[in-house]
Each structure stands twice: as structure tokens, then as C-alpha cells.
Amino acid sequence: LHRLIRRQRQMCIRDRSGIVVVDNASSDGTPDVVASRFPEIRLERRPVNEGFARANNIGIDLLACDWVLTLNPDARLAPDWVEKLIACAAGRPRAGTLGGKLLRDTAEPGAAPVIDSLGIEIFRSRRVRDRGMGRTDSGDRRAPERVFGVCAAAALFRREMLDDVRVRGEVFPERFFAYYEDADLAWRAWRRGWEAWVVPGAVGWHRRGGSPVGARFSRFMTHRNRLWLIARNEPFSETLTALPELIAHEALIAARTIRYPYLVKASWA
């Protein structure tokens, strides 16, 4: 945490920018560390875990700057990450979302770099995934790439875009709690004419992981939130144009309920 905050302190874009740590009722002593070692940082303590979406909305609303960086506690960035993203945004006034190349953060020394995310992509089946996830990084991607969206574990957002696409005051849909909230934001931004870009030269690392309980939670939330994502962002008439692909994908997902029966409840949540 100390290294993370020290690095982020160097990433402020303008004098009005700053760092906000939103603590979602953690039990590892994070609020005490922030309060004692970094008194200049705005600390927002939440009494209960209110979810990724709401926590980020709180942080966004507490800042008054032209660019907003969201960063997961399990993500870290190269020192020039923001600089390279801002350079990409120069001359692109509709670039509302920017991200870098996220690699899987592993403790194994000498392990080949594995891509965690090169942005978000969406298919005709309305399946959403992180581009390149799980592939070995060959380093062949260098130029900025236009994408559908960016993983919010480490993303830079133009304030003007965030304010333009809010729904009932929310940037991320708080009903989602966690998972696909960044895809929902990406879809709204795309419909409003905003662009999302990935800069492969801006490198970050994301640890992902969790317990078996966490795996069950993520399956439930991704299954449920994907259906909400479609319902919130796409008119039924447009869904009909991709009905064969959508039905085929839903059939595959339905088959998963044999192994994970609790997903039936997610379909009707």
C-alpha cells in the first residue's frame, strides 16, 4: 500500500487532483495505515462492503479533476503509465477512456509475462471478455488501439465523459455490485460517441485471484450482470439482429447450470 500511494502521488494531473482511498469495510488494517502514514490523502471509510461500483462512484464524486484514475488494490502501474495515456489522448478529444497493457501479476520469478487485459471486447453473442487474457505477451503490440472499453482495475477516464454518461447520477451501475460495471460504462460511452483506447506501451500488473467462495461469487455475479448489461444498454430490436448468436451462447451458459445449479437463481435475480 505504501508503494502504491507513493507512486500515485506522482500521478496527479492538475493541482485540483488528488488521491482518494475508499475502504469497503476491509479487515486488514488498511484505513489505519492510510490515516497514520498519509494524512494528506482523503480516506473514505465504509461501514460495510458496498461493492466495487459504489466505492468507485464515491471516489469519483470526491474528486474535482479533469481525469480520474481508478485502481484496484491488487493492481500496480509503471511510473510512466499516466504520462503515456495522456499523450495518447492528446489530439483525440473524444477519447474518454484509456488503459494500458495489464499483465498478470505473479510471484513466480522468471515466469513468462501473461496478459491480463488489453481492453474489453464484446461479441455478437453479447459475450464480454478482457482482450488477450491468458495469452503469453509477445510484446508485438506497440501502437495505441481503439477498443470497446477498458478494465476498470486500472483505467483513466475523462471527467467530461463520465459526467456525460451518468445514469441517475451513477457512473458505474451500483446495482451490479461488482463485475461488468466497466462494460456497462463502456457501452454507454460508445453510444454517446466516446472512444476507448489501449496503449500497450503503458504497462501495469493485476493480481486476480480468490478463494473457492470467491469463485462462486464471481460466477454468480458475471452471469447475472451480463443479462442486466444487455437489458440496460440495448434495445430489443437490436438484440434481435444477433439472435442466433445470442441463443447459441445462452444455450452454452444454460449447460453450465448442470455443474453450477446456483446460476439458475442468477438468471432471475
Side-chain angles (χ1 to χ4, degrees), residues 35-269:
S36 62
R37 296 188 184 181
F38 309 99
E40 74 279 12
I41 289 176
R42 177 73 178 266
L43 173 63
E44 181 68 21
R45 303 175 189 242
R46 309 310 296 173
V48 296
N49 184 356
E50 298 174 323
F52 179 92
R54 174 153 175 75
N56 275 285
N57 285 343
I58 290 170
I60 290 169
D61 290 341
L62 289 175
L63 290 170
C65 48
D66 296 335
W67 293 90
V68 175
L69 164 63
T70 60
L71 189 65
N72 274 17
D74 62 347
R76 57 191 179 92
L77 307 174
D80 60 355
W81 191 86
V82 169
E83 180 183 353
K84 289 183 175 180
L85 266 56
I86 292 297
C88 175
R92 295 186 173 103
R94 298 302 292 178
T97 307
L98 297 108
K101 175 170 63 180
L102 276 180
L103 299 176
R104 190 67 53 84
D105 196 351
T106 174
E108 299 178 13
V114 175
I115 295 172
D116 183 77
S117 180
L118 276 167
I120 299 171
E121 59 185 340
I122 187 168
F123 298 86
R124 278 183 57 83
S125 64
R126 305 314 183 248
R127 176 191 175 203
V128 177
R129 74 174 183 185
D130 286 285
R131 296 171 68 239
M133 177 183 280
R135 299 178 188 170
T136 300
D137 179 34
S138 61
D140 57 338
R141 283 186 163 96
R142 299 182 183 276
E145 302 172 316
R146 180 89 180 269
V147 294
F148 174 71
V150 171
C151 175
L156 190 66
F157 299 102
R158 193 186 294 268
R159 167 71 66 173
E160 182 185 356
M161 184 274 287
L162 295 179
D163 291 340
D164 183 46
V165 303
R166 288 176 183 265
V167 175
R168 292 186 291 275
E170 295 179 1
V171 170
F172 293 109
E174 296 180 6
R175 185 185 183 195
F176 282 36
F177 192 85
Y179 297 102
Y180 284 1
E181 69 293 309
D182 46 10
D184 185 88
L185 173 59
W187 206 331
R188 280 179 281 134
W190 173 75
R191 286 199 171 275
R192 297 285 293 176
W194 292 98
E195 301 171 0
W197 290 83
V198 161
V199 183
V203 181
W205 296 265
H206 188 202
R207 187 172 291 276
R208 291 188 195 251
S211 65
V213 174
R216 175 176 174 138
F217 173 79
S218 65
R219 288 192 198 100
F220 183 93
M221 300 301 283
T222 53
H223 186 81
R224 183 198 70 177
N225 290 355
R226 178 180 166 273
L227 298 176
W228 284 359
L229 175 72
I230 298 170
R232 279 171 52 93
N233 291 284
E234 187 170 63
F236 184 65
S237 59
E238 293 183 15
T239 305
L240 287 175
T241 64
L243 200 56
E245 294 90 342
L246 186 61
I247 291 175
H249 186 59
E250 290 303 318
L252 290 174
I253 292 178
R256 294 182 67 198
T257 62
I258 298 174
R259 183 177 180 185
Y260 307 113
Y262 57 85
L263 293 181
V264 175
K265 182 179 178 181
S267 299
W268 302 99

Side-chain angles (χ1 to χ4, degrees), residues 17-28:
S17 64
I19 302 171
V20 175
V21 173
V22 181
D23 184 81
N24 250 344
S26 68
S27 57
D28 61 358

